């Protein structure tokens, strides 16, 4: 990868109902929550549009790694999302362990969002979880 390029990295917190997205800045130093999409028939087209519009070259997808639960179902959905996306657009994929990303995101939301009603917004949690995944990736690969 040529790090001088003005591309972004996007993280995906894939869920059956909602998909949280986070973006890096062009210098790959910071991750910020971007958006939460509804997981419906428009998901792939919406993600492709974001990838093209924002010059995303790498997609980090959070994968479950919790031995207490059988994660084959969600992992199969993530694998299908990945293969469906690759059939539409060429992009580099990285699978990333998302362990504890929701718990960390929940804590960050508690610390930074003052209105209780806003803190209960699950879409907010999804995009913040994606930002945690992306932050971990950036820290390990770009510092």
């Amino acid at each position: 990868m040529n790090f001088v390029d003005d591309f972004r990295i996007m993280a995906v917190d894939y869920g059956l109902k909602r998909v949280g997205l986070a973006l890096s800045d062009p210098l790959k130093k910071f991750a910020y929550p971007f958006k939460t999409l509804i997981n419906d028939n428009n998901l792939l087209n919406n993600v492709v549009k974001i990838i093209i519009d924002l010059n995303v070259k790498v997609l980090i997808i959070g994968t479950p790694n919790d031995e207490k639960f059988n994660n084959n179902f969600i992992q199969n959905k993530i694998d299908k999302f990945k293969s469906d996306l690759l059939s539409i657009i060429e992009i580099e994929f990285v699978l990333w362990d998302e362990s504890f990303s929701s718990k960390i995101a929940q804590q960050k939301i508690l610390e930074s969002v003052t209105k209780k009603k806003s803190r209960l917004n699950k879409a907010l949690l999804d995009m913040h979880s994606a930002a945690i995944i992306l932050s971990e990736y950036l820290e390990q690969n770009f510092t």
Side-chain angles (χ1 to χ4, degrees), residues 106-123:
Q106 206 167 30
Q107 185 60 40
K108 285 190 179 278
I109 290 168
L110 283 172
E111 293 169 0
S112 62
V113 177
T114 56
K115 292 185 180 179
K116 184 176 181 179
K117 186 175 182 178
S118 296
R119 290 192 306 251
L120 297 175
N121 181 350
K122 291 185 179 184

Side-chain angles (χ1 to χ4, degrees), residues 56-120:
V56 173
K57 299 292 184 199
V58 181
L59 198 65
I60 312 301
I61 300 182
T63 59
N65 191 19
D66 191 342
E67 295 176 4
K68 293 187 292 186
F69 301 102
N70 181 353
N71 291 313
N72 289 338
F73 180 74
I74 191 72
Q75 188 61 54
N76 289 341
K77 294 285 189 182
I78 291 169
D79 292 342
K80 181 170 179 5
F81 171 75
K82 178 183 171 185
S83 66
D84 289 349
L85 199 55
L86 283 173
S87 72
I88 299 170
I89 192 167
E90 187 176 317
I91 190 164
E92 181 181 338
F93 270 92
V94 176
L95 298 178
W96 195 262
D97 179 7
E98 68 174 15
S99 298
F100 308 111
S101 64
S102 292
K103 290 191 185 313
I104 295 168
Q106 206 167 30
Q107 185 60 40
K108 285 190 179 278
I109 290 168
L110 283 172
E111 293 169 0
S112 62
V113 177
T114 56
K115 292 185 180 179
K116 184 176 181 179
K117 186 175 182 178
S118 296
R119 290 192 306 251
L120 297 175

Side-chain angles (χ1 to χ4, degrees), residues 15-64:
L16 299 177
K17 294 181 182 179
R18 291 172 313 280
V19 176
L21 304 177
L23 287 169
S24 73
D25 65 299
L27 297 174
K28 287 75 152 177
K29 299 290 182 193
F30 304 103
Y32 61 91
F34 177 64
K35 172 180 281 202
T36 298
L37 301 173
I38 302 298
N39 191 345
D40 61 12
N41 292 333
N42 297 317
L43 178 64
L44 283 174
N45 290 333
N46 291 334
V47 170
V48 168
K49 181 172 178 13
I50 293 167
I51 288 169
I52 292 168
D53 290 350
L54 299 176
N55 196 26
V56 173
K57 299 292 184 199
V58 181
L59 198 65
I60 312 301
I61 300 182
T63 59

Side-chain angles (χ1 to χ4, degrees), residues 2-21:
N2 181 357
F3 300 120
V4 179
D5 290 342
D6 190 25
F7 71 90
R8 294 178 189 267
I9 301 171
M10 185 165 73
V12 175
D13 182 37
Y14 187 91
L16 299 177
K17 294 181 182 179
R18 291 172 313 280
V19 176
L21 304 177

